[in-house]
């Protein structure tokens, strides 16, 4: 008897039509849960799910990913692109210099303490152009109460799907030890 292989990955990202109705919660719940978007940004932000829904155009991602505890997951997420949110915060790099942009990372944390790191190059249109979302809805249900979720549609594994976002940090990656050794002309040996 053969075992079934891993689920096929289905990823479809598309902007939602302008006439699509905004998501609402069953009860009018005040959006008091803000998460900071901070770091090397000209205009740091503090956002709620409602802010994400109102300030940026929504996109939809139909995804399949493997969950270590629950097996294959099939979901539809909606929300703005992470790239557009960071662009609005004003990244502190020279946008004309591609190599400068490649040094930047994003660290995303969730309500359960889970966190992950993405490179700006993954999101940047000149490089990976990955349509990573900050979800405001999952399977047609608003996430105002649960909190926004990081959605990485290209991932086969669900480990970078971060729930109930508590913060996003954006900044340059510096390797001071390596930079100092290279500048001084010292030889860098591998393991």
């Amino acid at each position: 008897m053969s075992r079934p292989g891993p689920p096929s990955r289905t990823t479809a990202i598309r902007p939602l039509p302008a006439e699509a109705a905004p998501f609402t919660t069953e009860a009018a719940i005040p959006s008091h849960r803000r998460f900071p978007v901070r770091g090397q940004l000209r205009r740091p932000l503090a956002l709620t799910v409602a802010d994400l829904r109102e300030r940026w155009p929504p996109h939809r991602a139909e995804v399949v990913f493997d969950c270590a505890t629950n097996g294959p997951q099939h979901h539809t997420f909606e929300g703005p692109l992470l790239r557009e949110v960071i662009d609005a915060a004003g990244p502190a790099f020279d946008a004309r210099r591609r190599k400068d942009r490649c040094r930047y990372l994003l660290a995303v944390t969730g309500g359960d303490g889970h966190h992950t790191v993405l490179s700006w190059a993954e999101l940047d249109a000149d490089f990976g152009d990955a349509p990573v979302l900050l979800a405001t809805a999952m399977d047609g249900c608003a996430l105002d109460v649960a909190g926004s979720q990081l959605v990485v549609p290209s991932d086969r594994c669900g480990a970078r799907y971060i729930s109930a976002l508590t913060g996003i940090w954006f900044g340059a990656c510096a390797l001071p030890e390596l930079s100092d050794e290279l500048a001084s002309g010292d030889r860098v040996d591998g393991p």
Side-chain angles (χ1 to χ4, degrees):
M1 183 163 130
S2 67
R3 295 181 56 159
S8 63
R9 232 179 5 176
T10 304
T11 304
I13 299 287
R14 57 187 179 275
L16 292 175
E19 65 275 1
F23 290 94
T24 57
T25 55
E26 299 231 349
I29 299 171
S31 297
H32 62 280
R33 290 180 44 176
R34 294 189 180 278
F35 64 90
V37 179
R38 58 186 175 76
Q40 294 174 345
L41 299 164
R42 292 177 182 92
R43 296 173 298 279
L45 303 167
L47 300 169
T48 64
V49 172
D51 294 333
L52 293 171
R53 187 179 307 109
E54 293 164 7
R55 293 177 62 179
W56 291 277
H59 295 264
R60 177 178 287 145
E62 297 170 7
V63 301
V64 177
F65 59 88
D66 290 328
C67 175
T69 55
N70 297 319
Q73 300 293 302
H74 301 259
H75 293 290
T76 300
F77 291 97
E78 297 182 20
L81 294 173
L82 174 57
R83 171 180 59 239
E84 292 175 350
V85 173
I86 297 299
D87 279 341
F93 52 61
D94 183 346
R96 298 167 298 180
R97 296 181 58 218
R98 290 182 179 155
K99 289 183 180 180
D100 191 35
R101 289 181 282 162
C102 289
R103 299 180 308 116
Y104 284 78
L105 302 173
L106 297 101
V108 182
T109 58
D112 62 357
H114 188 65
H115 58 277
T116 195
V117 175
L118 299 121
S119 73
W120 178 254
E122 286 180 82
L123 309 177
D124 192 298
D126 284 341
F127 298 100
D129 199 20
V132 176
L133 299 180
L134 294 178
T136 59
M138 181 174 84
D139 300 329
C141 296
L143 294 174
D144 292 72
V145 175
S148 182
Q149 182 165 334
L150 180 73
V151 176
V152 187
S154 59
D155 284 4
R156 186 184 68 79
C157 164
R160 292 199 299 175
Y161 283 64
I162 307 294
S163 300
L165 294 185
T166 57
I168 298 173
W169 176 87
F170 178 86
C173 175
L175 302 173
E177 302 83 32
L178 181 59
S179 297
D180 292 345
E181 289 176 20
L182 293 175
S184 69
D186 291 344
R187 182 169 178 223
V188 178
D189 293 323

